[in-house]
Amino acid sequence: MARRLLIAGNWKLNGSFSMVDDLLGGLAGNVPESVDCAVFPPAPYIKYAVERLDGTGIACGSQDVSEHDAGAHTGELSGAMVVDAGGTHTLCGHSERRADHLESSEMIGRKMVAALRHGLTPVLCVGETLEEREAGDTETVVLGQLEAAIGEIGIEGLGQSIVAYEPVWAIGTGRTATPDQAQAVHAAIRSKIAAADATIAGRIRILYGGSVKGSNAAELFGQPDIDGALVGGASLEADSFLAICRAVPVTE
């Protein structure tokens, strides 16, 4: 069976209502039907984006979610709130959350549990720093992050999730892992999951993120274990995001 790839755009700390109009207006009706697509705007724009995307088939989610459902947790965004705004997905454990907010892999796993509790699809982000890669610790770091999340959510919970491999050294730097480098890590992630459940390993989507562009997307998508992309800067303009979507190989 041919893989159906997912191209997801993480807007990070960027956006305005006019940007939402321009960007989503450019995407509507132009994403190839063979591609699944999702966007992750800042929280204030989720509901507006959902309304703009109505009928387009493009999904919308949050960039983070709280491990708590309610209570004295000022500034947090609960899964129930994301769902109430119309979101269907949430990022969990993006490297910027891990670095800027000191989120542990165990906390990220608990956020995934909370996301599933509210019917959201968690996108677990894993990845190594340049120092870790140069030390030869890529698989140790990435698989350790994955294992910690599984420890909280369980393999069945992971089976309801998506994994995104984002080498920290390639996020927003213009540097990109070679297709072979990316494939090697994706294969290791899938093998780790297969050790617990081969069926889940076979169906779970593992996305690549790290300066993905229209010019390098096709070669990345040609790798057997890369099931799409989590796109940062190139998702902020319709033309550059669509170039990535159109790089997905057409299969019968």
Side-chain angles (χ1 to χ4, degrees):
M1 181 181 295
R3 296 177 299 155
R4 186 174 175 88
L5 272 60
L6 170 64
I7 311 300
N10 173 19
W11 298 0
K12 304 191 179 186
L13 188 59
N14 299 285
S16 65
F17 287 112
S18 62
M19 175 191 154
V20 174
D21 278 333
D22 291 344
L23 177 53
L24 299 186
L27 296 181
N30 292 313
V31 175
E33 292 184 1
S34 59
V35 177
D36 289 333
C37 184
V39 295
F40 294 85
Y45 307 116
I46 294 174
K47 183 173 177 58
Y48 188 64
V50 167
E51 292 170 349
R52 286 289 278 112
L53 291 169
D54 185 41
T56 67
I58 300 173
C60 185
S62 62
Q63 297 177 7
D64 186 40
V65 70
S66 178
E67 63 181 293
H68 307 289
D69 289 342
H73 305 287
T74 301
E76 294 283 285
L77 180 68
S78 74
M81 293 172 180
V82 177
V83 171
D84 201 30
T88 55
H89 294 65
T90 183
L91 302 182
C92 294
H94 191 279
S95 64
E96 291 154 10
R97 298 290 309 179
R98 292 178 188 264
D100 296 349
H101 300 275
L102 305 181
E103 293 185 0
S104 68
S105 293
E106 290 74 19
M107 173 187 286
I108 292 159
R110 295 194 296 272
K111 289 187 173 195
M112 295 176 71
V113 171
L116 287 179
R117 191 161 59 239
H118 293 284
L120 295 168
T121 299
V123 181
L124 170 64
C125 301
V126 296
E128 84 283 12
T129 64
L130 181 60
E131 292 75 17
E132 289 164 340
R133 170 165 281 275
E134 290 179 339
D137 293 333
T138 293
E139 287 194 14
T140 299
V141 171
V142 171
L143 299 184
Q145 292 169 346
L146 177 66
E147 186 172 10
I150 294 174
E152 299 291 335
I153 199 173
I155 192 62
E156 291 297 329
L158 188 73
Q160 300 174 60
S161 308
I162 295 165
V163 177
Y165 167 56
E166 292 197 307
V168 180
W169 50 272
I171 298 175
T173 64
R175 299 180 62 176
T176 307
T178 67
D180 287 345
Q181 287 174 325
Q183 165 58 25
V185 180
H186 280 239
I189 291 170
R190 202 177 300 278
S191 178
K192 178 73 172 179
I193 298 169
D197 191 304
T199 300
I200 288 174
R203 71 168 187 257
I204 194 169
R205 281 167 159 169
I206 307 174
L207 312 182
Y208 173 74
S211 297
V212 180
K213 304 179 288 290
S215 59
N216 61 24
E219 195 171 4
L220 287 164
F221 297 156
Q223 304 303 309
D225 289 296
I226 296 181
D227 303 316
L230 180 56
V231 184
S235 71
L236 299 177
E237 294 184 359
D239 287 347
S240 57
F241 191 56
L242 286 170
I244 295 170
C245 293
R246 291 167 179 156
V248 173
V250 176
T251 56
E252 297 295 332

